[in-house]
Amino acid sequence: MTAPLLDIRDLSISFTQGGKETLAVDRVSLSLEKGKTLALVGESGSGKSITALSIARLLPPSAHHPSGSINFAGADVLKMDDVALRSIRGARITMVFQEPMTSLNPLHPIEKQIGEILELHGMRSREARRARTIELLGEVGIPNPSQRLDAFPHQLSGGQRQRVMIAMALANKPDLLIADEPTTALDVTVQAQVLDSLRTALSETGAALLLITHDLGVIAGISDRVLVMYAGRAVETGTAEDVFYKPSMPYTLGLLGSLPRLDSDGNERLRQIPGSPPSMMGDRTGCPFAPRCPLATEICITTEPDLVVVPSVTSAVGGHRAACHFAVEVGRGDHGKVFSDGVVDDVVA
């Protein structure tokens, strides 16, 4: 088997502020092959963006890695010096951030901002940079790209600004593209257009995509695999088919239940997960989702569940795992609806 492009093993990340330590990512493992898409899914504060930022070593000084490794193309990113990091950032590993207006410079036109990325990584000819910029803008669906070179960010729509960010990320034909909530501030129609731009660009470059989102609906047609995070932990992982058609963790069921369904009559209330995510400070015992889970029993409160192999929709052996003491039963549907319309079902495990 070919070694994965990105291989993270038992990664833990904590922050120290005011003498107190907060564990933001807790023993997360994942792998991603070139040309494939992996989605990190979960509520805000679940550790998705922290995991992604650590891949390019973009975390603030208050963060440290007590354990784990991040292997990119066979080298541990956590052990790289500054020279090695600069050689891969913006070239082999690139990022699309959530809000383009905070990433684009409002004082410079689009041509200069994309051209700067190209120049920093070796393209010295201004004519070549201009031609490549026009090519990139066309690839991500910007109409009349040659006429947009002199445009400033405020002269573009939200969807166009996000496409410019994608063009910048793809400028040097990276091996890995990290997209952190790239469609959050966009309406549904523009979301679809931006995702289509991502699909097209990835198919042409062969890059791998790590997509961070809280919306399972965004990943349905683009992701090969899904990793669901909660309270800094991986609580379910598998193919997109596994997670959508055979979810085996109550938290995943809750996320799916919050999505509007095309086959509903329009009169059903969306399901909701009660409560809030737990504090990331202090000692942890048991399943972090137990206080919000209608299936929780004494073992959930006292013992942390491991990621165990559960039935898979696909033929991949051991490719679907869930961290729940009742994962196999949940995957079989033995508990029926865990979360019902607007309220929690009264389910006994």
Side-chain angles (χ1 to χ4, degrees), residues 181-205:
E181 302 276 10
T183 62
T184 296
L186 307 176
D187 62 53
V188 175
T189 302
V190 179
Q191 277 188 12
Q193 293 171 353
V194 169
L195 290 174
D196 188 59
S197 296
L198 269 175
R199 290 190 198 96
T200 301
L202 291 170
S203 66
E204 291 180 357
T205 62

Side-chain angles (χ1 to χ4, degrees), residues 28 39 42 67 72 97 108 153 164 174 185 193 210 222 224 279 317 325 341:
V28 168
S67 65
F72 173 74
F97 294 97
H108 296 304
V164 169
Q193 293 171 353
L210 183 64
I222 195 172
D224 298 296
S279 169
V317 178
H325 294 295
D341 304 336

Side-chain angles (χ1 to χ4, degrees), residues 47-348:
K48 310 183 300 298
S49 294
I50 298 298
T51 301
L53 289 170
S54 70
I55 296 169
R57 292 265 299 275
L58 293 175
L59 294 175
S62 58
H64 59 95
H65 303 81
S67 65
S69 62
I70 303 174
N71 284 292
F72 173 74
D76 191 344
V77 172
L78 299 181
K79 297 179 181 178
M80 288 183 180
D81 59 24
D82 290 341
V83 174
L85 280 172
R86 283 196 298 269
S87 71
I88 63 171
R89 287 180 186 150
R92 301 191 66 188
I93 299 176
T94 58
M95 293 194 70
V96 177
F97 294 97
Q98 180 172 348
E99 177 46 64
M101 280 301 282
T102 63
S103 302
L104 295 172
N105 191 324
L107 302 179
H108 296 304
I110 299 306
E111 180 182 5
K112 182 174 181 179
Q113 299 193 52
I114 297 179
E116 183 180 30
I117 301 295
L118 295 167
E119 185 176 13
L120 285 172
H121 291 279
M123 189 175 288
R124 302 304 179 191
S125 167
R126 182 177 180 181
E127 291 73 18
R129 294 197 300 270
R130 183 180 181 87
R132 176 61 175 154
T133 299
I134 293 172
E135 179 186 13
L136 286 164
L137 294 177
E139 286 178 358
V140 297
I142 297 288
N144 303 314
S146 62
Q147 299 176 23
R148 295 291 187 173
L149 297 179
D150 295 328
F152 289 84
H154 72 274
Q155 295 175 311
L156 303 175
S157 68
Q160 289 173 336
R161 288 194 291 265
Q162 196 60 282
R163 289 190 187 96
V164 169
M165 288 299 303
I166 295 171
M168 292 176 68
L170 295 172
N172 292 297
K173 299 181 180 179
D175 296 311
L176 173 63
L177 172 62
I178 302 171
D180 189 358
E181 302 276 10
T183 62
T184 296
L186 307 176
D187 62 53
V188 175
T189 302
V190 179
Q191 277 188 12
Q193 293 171 353
V194 169
L195 290 174
D196 188 59
S197 296
L198 269 175
R199 290 190 198 96
T200 301
L202 291 170
S203 66
E204 291 180 357
T205 62
L209 172 63
L210 183 64
L211 177 63
I212 295 98
T213 182
H214 64 275
D215 185 354
L216 278 166
V218 167
I219 67 172
I222 195 172
S223 299
D224 298 296
R225 293 189 61 82
V226 178
L227 189 149
V228 182
M229 294 188 69
Y230 183 78
R233 301 174 182 175
V235 296
E236 184 158 3
T237 180
T239 64
E241 291 86 354
D242 288 334
V243 173
F244 276 90
Y245 296 112
K246 197 177 281 291
S248 299
M249 166 63 179
Y251 178 60
T252 308
L253 287 172
L255 293 178
L256 289 168
S258 67
L259 296 175
R261 295 180 60 94
L262 293 176
D263 58 356
S264 72
D265 59 9
N267 295 318
E268 296 181 5
R269 294 178 61 190
L270 296 179
R271 301 174 194 173
Q272 63 185 34
I273 304 174
S276 302
S279 169
M280 306 294 279
M281 301 179 65
D283 296 332
R284 304 185 185 190
T285 57
C287 174
F289 189 59
R292 306 173 70 186
C293 181
L295 306 183
T297 64
E298 184 64 27
I299 190 173
C300 304
I301 298 171
T302 60
T303 306
E304 178 186 354
D306 295 322
L307 273 171
V308 297
V309 176
V310 292
S312 172
V313 172
T314 63
S315 58
V317 178
H320 186 197
R321 297 174 180 267
C324 177
H325 294 295
F326 308 106
V328 174
E329 294 88 341
V330 172
R332 286 200 305 252
D334 290 356
H335 291 298
K337 282 186 178 180
V338 176
F339 300 99
S340 66
D341 304 336
V343 295
V344 182
D345 274 350
D346 188 14
V347 183
V348 179

